[in-house]
Every structure is written in structure tokens, then in C-alpha cells.
Amino acid sequence: MSLLRKTLAARVLYLKDSWLYRILPSVRHKPFTAEPCGDLSESWNDVEPNPNQLRWRPFNIPKASEKKVDFVSGLHTVCGAGDSKSRNGICIHLYACNTSMTDRCFQNSDGDFLIVPQQGKLLVTTEFGKMMVEPNEICVIQQGMRFSVDVFGETRGYILEVYGAHFELPDLGPIGANGLANPRDFLVPVAWYEDRTVSAGYTVINKYQGKMFSCQQDFSPFNVVAWHGNYTPYKYNLENFMVINCVAYDHADPSIFTVLTAKSTRPGVAIADFVIFPPRWGVADHTFRPPYYHRNCMSEFMGLIKGHYEAKEEGFQPGGASLHSIMTPHGPDVDCFEKNSTATLKPERVAEGTMAFMFESSFSMAVTKWGLDTCNRVDKEYYKCWEPLRSHFNPKWKPASK
């Protein structure tokens, strides 16, 4: 399998389209009929709002010896907001599966999927070609593109779905031409096709207006002999991110870690940002270097691909997650605070061997019944990581004379 190295042509790309040259047109199929949605949901009022800090232990992966679950059957909605019908909103899903999709594919008519593998690689077959996506890489399957997923054992990861906008590179402003996720590092598939008749029936699963539907056809949808255009699936290796960081004192805004953004109609406000916290140097002087305690006007959903997140080395585990909702206070646990309040400030590597990420949104997200109850992974003791914090205030303290 080969991948064509190809850049995202522009940071803001207003016109997106692709021409696909098929053996048979995709219109040749039986009518769609309703399918069970499983744990996929766009119902934000099934449980009462919860403003508390939330943390999930690593989400369970079904055992193949007990039940075979493929990528689509293993989708679970954790939280979200908005509405696919009005084309304005987001969903955050978890996928946990153990078997490949056979003679079936998935199409999301509602929005784009940004897929973040955490455990196990994915072989994603799309109408444009194939992509192998491993942990510490991401891929984006844009609205309406059909794809199938092969896995190679117990597999888990995260998905950010956006309605009404597409992911793009953030505006760099004073950073200039180079930095963060560089266009040259995004890869798109080369054309690959199969001219295959499926007499037993090929199933196309369609997520439409938040519900699931399926139809049957007697041929593989991956019958595109050639294509051209700029509306494509693509992948990106997070190790290629060019990190910007503070080199004097204090903190820059975490937006400096943005890989991709889905803009809203309000300037400077995103429907969602995909942000990472990669290995980097910490050199800020006269500064509490870990993330500071704060409340803000964005919802922050975090996941951990590997390693130990610097602000919470215990409790926040790979394959787990946390949600800090709009105006809910959060920050480092007590161990991180005490250690870094007295640490000698010298240049040091931060987050070595670690990759944490954040789905950040201007939407006030609701947690689903599956996310809050059914998954049984909520850490009900999470709040206790801040309870030992104590006051260090001394009204008589004065800086040492020079």
C-alpha cells in the first residue's frame, strides 16, 4: 500500500470537491431502511446536566472470545451538543472493537470524523484508497465518504465529529508561514479499487440526521479506478507537529498546540479544535510551568494516547478521558502542584514519551446516558485529587532583596 504525499492546498479552502471515476455508480442500491443506533446518540436530554469535573477510567474493549464487534458496532457517543439537522454541533465518540468490517462500509451523512487511534492500528479502506493509521496518528474522513475499517486485535480510540464545518489548519497569525501542523505532512491515499461482485449482498450503513440506516447492493463500493480533487480523506502523524512554546516566562494560550480547527461563523471561535500536548522543552522562568488552574468559556474533553499527562500523572490513563465543562474549574492535581511549586527552574523535557490531546469546543456539551452510567467507567473519586490543596498565602512575605 502506498500513500501519495500531498499538501492541504490552502489554510482556508472555500471550494472542496472531487471527481471519482467508478466502475458502477453508487446510486445502484436497494432502499435504505432503519437500523438500531446502539450507543450512538444525539439525544442530549436523556440525563440531567452535570457541571462536575468528569474523568473516565480506560474504556472497556470487548473480548473477541465473548463477542465479535467491528468498528461501527463498537461506536459509543460520550458527549456532544447541537444538532445534525441544523448543521451546527459536535459529537465525541469512543470506538472499541475487535474484528474487521466484512462486506459492509460506513457513511456519515451528518459530518466529518476525526479519528484518534489509541490502541491498535486501523486499516481504513475508503473510496479514495487505503490508509494505515496507527496510534499517534490521526485520520479525517470527511462528510459523505464511505469507508471500511480492518483491525488487528483489540482496538480502541476516540472520534471527534463536527457538523456544518470541515477541519482545516488554524490561522497562524504572527507565527507566520511555518509552524504547528505543516501542510506538507498531511497524506492522502492513492486510488485503489476492487471490481468485486458480492452475491450475498454488500451492506452500506448510513448515519443520517443522527440515526442509522442501511441498504444492500451487490458490488463493492470501493470501485473507484481514479480520482482527482481536494475533498479527500487524509492522515497526519502527530510526531511531525512543530511545537511552539514560551521561552521567557508565563504561559502562552493552549491554542499554540492546535493541529486542526473547525471554525464557527463567529470570528475567533471554533466549533471544535483538535489540540495536542506533545513532547517539548519547558524553559519558562519565574513561572508555575504546568497548566494553571482556570475556568473558561470552552468545553475541554481530554484523552491520553500514551504515557503520563504532566498535570495528572496518576488517575488519568491511556484509553481514558476527562471532561471539564464550560466554567467548571480544573487544573493540576495536588502532587503536580506541590512538586512544581518548589522545583528548580531549569530547562527540562516535558511529556517525554507521552501524547495527550484535547477536543475543545465552544459548545456546552451534554454527557449521554452511556457516558455517564452505562459504560460504568466514570471515576467517582476524581474530585478528591484537589481536596488536599492547601493555602500557601503569607501576607507578610516579601521578595528577597537583590
Side-chain angles (χ1 to χ4, degrees), residues 54-188:
L54 294 173
R55 182 166 69 186
W56 289 267
R57 299 183 296 274
F59 293 99
N60 293 327
I61 308 174
K63 301 289 185 184
S65 58
E66 298 173 1
K67 183 180 180 181
K68 289 189 175 181
V69 178
D70 69 13
F71 178 85
V72 174
S73 301
L75 290 172
H76 311 273
T77 306
V78 181
C79 56
D83 174 44
S84 58
K85 295 178 186 177
S86 62
R87 311 288 298 119
N88 187 35
I90 68 166
C91 278
I92 293 174
H93 311 287
L94 184 282
Y95 70 85
C97 53
N98 54 40
T99 195
S100 299
M101 296 172 67
T102 302
D103 288 340
R104 61 193 224 136
C105 69
F106 184 70
Q107 168 186 325
N108 184 0
S109 297
D110 292 336
D112 291 9
F113 269 4
L114 188 157
I115 302 173
V116 185
Q118 185 273 319
Q119 178 176 318
K121 60 187 178 182
L122 307 176
L123 176 57
V124 184
T125 301
T126 77
E127 295 169 284
F128 296 77
K130 294 174 177 277
M131 300 184 294
M132 184 71 80
V133 188
E134 302 189 32
N136 225 43
E137 296 182 320
I138 63 166
C139 72
V140 172
I141 310 294
Q142 302 198 71
Q143 181 185 8
M145 297 176 179
R146 293 179 178 177
F147 67 99
S148 183
V149 176
D150 287 350
V151 299
F152 306 89
E154 295 180 358
T155 305
R156 177 176 56 202
Y158 313 83
I159 299 174
L160 173 59
E161 179 183 10
V162 296
Y163 312 138
H166 295 295
F167 291 104
E168 61 184 75
L169 295 169
D171 298 328
L172 295 187
I175 293 174
N178 306 303
L180 309 188
N182 288 306
R184 65 176 180 267
D185 293 318
F186 287 82
L187 303 177
V188 302

Side-chain angles (χ1 to χ4, degrees), residues 374-388:
T374 309
C375 73
N376 197 30
R377 305 308 292 161
V378 173
D379 181 358
K380 299 185 185 302
E381 306 292 303
Y382 183 31
Y383 71 96
K384 292 184 178 180
C385 75
W386 295 292
E387 284 204 326

Side-chain angles (χ1 to χ4, degrees), residues 2-8 182-190 240:
S2 63
L3 284 169
L4 174 66
R5 184 174 293 271
K6 193 171 184 180
T7 65
L8 299 181
N182 288 306
R184 65 176 180 267
D185 293 318
F186 287 82
L187 303 177
V188 302
V190 297
N240 291 327

